[in-house]
Amino acid sequence: MSRQDGPDLVLALHGTRSEAGQLVAGALVAAVASRLPGVRVHLGWADVLTPTLTDVLARLGDAVVVPCFLTAGYHVTSDLPAAVEAAGGRAMLAPLIGPGLLAAVADRVREAGVGDAVVLAAAGSRRARSVAEVGRAAGALALLLGVPVVPAFVTSARPGVGEAVAALRADGHRRVVVASYLLAPGVFADRLHEAGADAVSAPIGVHPLVVEAAISAYSCVVAEEHDTAAALATAPGVERIA
């Protein structure tokens, strides 16, 4: 895109008090911005930190919000739409980036060393939809890695990560690896190291696929809006004012 050739892009991330997690967020903004020189890229926190997503959107005009979340939990389905509405409702919400990132998770597991079995460890949610998404992701990750993969959760859903590790050991798996289904370092990522696994993969971080997923989500919304505007401009019976 050329200069000033698109609406602002706001990356919405879950807040963290972890300095390492905040550095990942800043690096992600920089990486996306470097790929979209004609677009202003901002960071809006969904929780814990400021500026909040509402704060950021309130000082912008048209914008596209890209949810940097892995599953459709409460933040994605409730908090982000509420933040858009609270800021005046002008921003457009893109799809969340999670579904396209399993290959990145597989890369992180290979860096840690693939074991006999893997626990896909997600943050957790009380929402059945989010829990089911992690289950499907575990099945897809098993195909990528060629070993059994079971889903588990740090909080709010069962099984817990430690429970899943213990169950795999009881089934005879000698080397069990925890795959971090988390975007950035923080308290949840730290807790994975207490689960008793032989290795824990790093959070996804600023993987090229994360950058690509954010750009793709933004571009799809912009293209859809452009197509809609073009269709309205050429529709029969539509009065156009010069």
Side-chain angles (χ1 to χ4, degrees), residues 6 11 19 34 72 78 96 108 124 141 149 156 161-162 165 176 179 185-186 192 202 205 209 214 226 234 238 240:
L11 299 175
E19 183 177 349
S34 72
S78 298
L96 75 165
R108 298 298 185 230
L141 186 61
V149 178
S156 300
V161 180
V165 170
V176 179
L192 300 185
L209 288 176
H226 179 271
T234 58
V238 175
R240 290 175 289 281

Side-chain angles (χ1 to χ4, degrees), residues 218-233:
Y218 170 83
S219 299
C220 285
V221 172
V222 173
E224 182 177 327
E225 288 299 306
H226 179 271
D227 291 345
T228 300
L232 288 173

Side-chain angles (χ1 to χ4, degrees), residues 97-203:
I97 65 172
L101 300 183
L102 281 175
V105 177
D107 284 347
R108 298 298 185 230
V109 174
R110 294 186 187 104
E111 291 168 1
V114 181
D116 304 316
V118 171
V119 175
L120 181 63
S125 174
R126 293 185 177 88
R127 301 208 163 188
R129 173 183 172 185
S130 180
V131 171
E133 287 172 353
V134 178
R136 290 192 294 272
L141 186 61
L143 295 176
L144 290 174
L145 296 175
V147 299
V149 178
V150 298
F153 306 90
V154 178
T155 185
S156 300
R158 302 245 69 87
V161 180
E163 291 176 286
V165 170
L168 287 172
R169 292 204 190 282
D171 287 341
H173 297 286
R174 296 180 61 186
R175 176 176 166 81
V176 179
V177 175
V178 169
S180 300
Y181 201 36
L182 303 167
L183 191 61
V187 64
F188 283 177
D190 291 343
R191 287 174 62 180
L192 300 185
H193 293 274
E194 304 168 1
D198 295 284
V200 178
S201 73

Side-chain angles (χ1 to χ4, degrees), residues 198-220:
D198 295 284
V200 178
S201 73
I204 300 169
V206 190
H207 190 284
L209 288 176
V210 177
V211 178
E212 192 62 43
I215 293 170
S216 178
Y218 170 83
S219 299
C220 285

